[in-house]
Amino acid sequence: NWGNRDKSVTKMRRLLKGNAPTDYHILFMSSIKHMQAGIIKVANSLRTTTSTNACYLVQELARTLGPALDSMVEIYLQTFVKMCAATKHIAAQNGNQTVDTIYQYVSYNIRTMQHVWIACQDKNVQPRTFASGWLRTILSRQVGAKTHFESTGGLELAEKCVKHGLNDSQPKVKEAMRATYWALAKIWPNRAELIMNTLDPKAKIALEKHSLNPNASTSSASTLRTVSYTHLRA
């Protein structure tokens, strides 16, 4: 009965607002883990309101519990990354927002990064587009933990994601990844420059003209001069 399931999800969201997560933490976490399969089933409901309610519950679990949710993250990410490919726009947006919220609050590890890389290679354009936003969220949280991010292979995977997105066949995937490129460039400028040097002149101009490039006008003008000179010589 979907009505009962929806009411149960609403009740769990109310419990999150109270003292249960703190005063009865062990019991609360055990119960949440026991009900994880049911929460996912409700999230995958064909009833939009019911599904949305479950997505909000998972987002609120991530915000309230933070790293305490780490042991359950893997299954949640699998579920909501898959939801991002839904043909129903609301479902895809709910999946995107839920994945991004999870990345904002749970602990980083290489497995969570691998979900971004897998999404970057998805045959559906929506997960490929959303992946750039998730990667920006991860990068913003790793500013103070650069060494750990590098040593676990996170930076290498991030570079692969950025390269793949900038060379995607879909313009909106490229555009989304350009913003992520400049987020990477703020933290690892040398690594970002190496990526820039692998691009063809047209892609390089589009990247340099992006609004998040702190030297957009100067760099794009320089590239245009280089391209023009090359064409004249040819």
Side-chain angles (χ1 to χ4, degrees), residues 2-73:
W2 293 110
N4 288 339
R5 288 183 177 183
D6 192 52
K7 287 177 184 177
S8 296
V9 167
T10 301
K11 188 173 183 178
M12 291 168 69
R13 291 180 66 191
R14 288 171 179 162
L15 287 170
L16 270 173
K17 302 295 182 185
N19 64 334
T22 51
D23 293 358
Y24 305 96
H25 184 73
I26 295 175
L27 178 60
F28 185 81
M29 292 305 301
S30 174
S31 301
I32 289 295
K33 192 162 189 175
H34 179 71
M35 290 185 284
Q36 186 176 25
I39 294 169
I40 289 170
K41 190 175 286 188
V42 179
N44 286 322
S45 168
L46 295 177
R47 296 172 183 268
T48 303
T49 304
T50 303
S51 173
T52 301
N53 200 14
C55 291
Y56 288 160
L57 170 61
V58 176
Q59 292 171 32
E60 289 161 9
L61 283 170
R63 291 190 191 99
T64 304
L65 302 175
L69 196 67
D70 287 354
S71 63
M72 293 175 253
V73 161

Side-chain angles (χ1 to χ4, degrees), residues 81-82 84-85 116 119-120 122 124-132 134:
V81 169
K82 186 177 179 180
C84 291
V116 180
C120 284
D122 198 281
N124 190 295
V125 73
Q126 289 174 167
R128 302 205 309 270
T129 306
F130 295 148
S132 59
W134 308 336

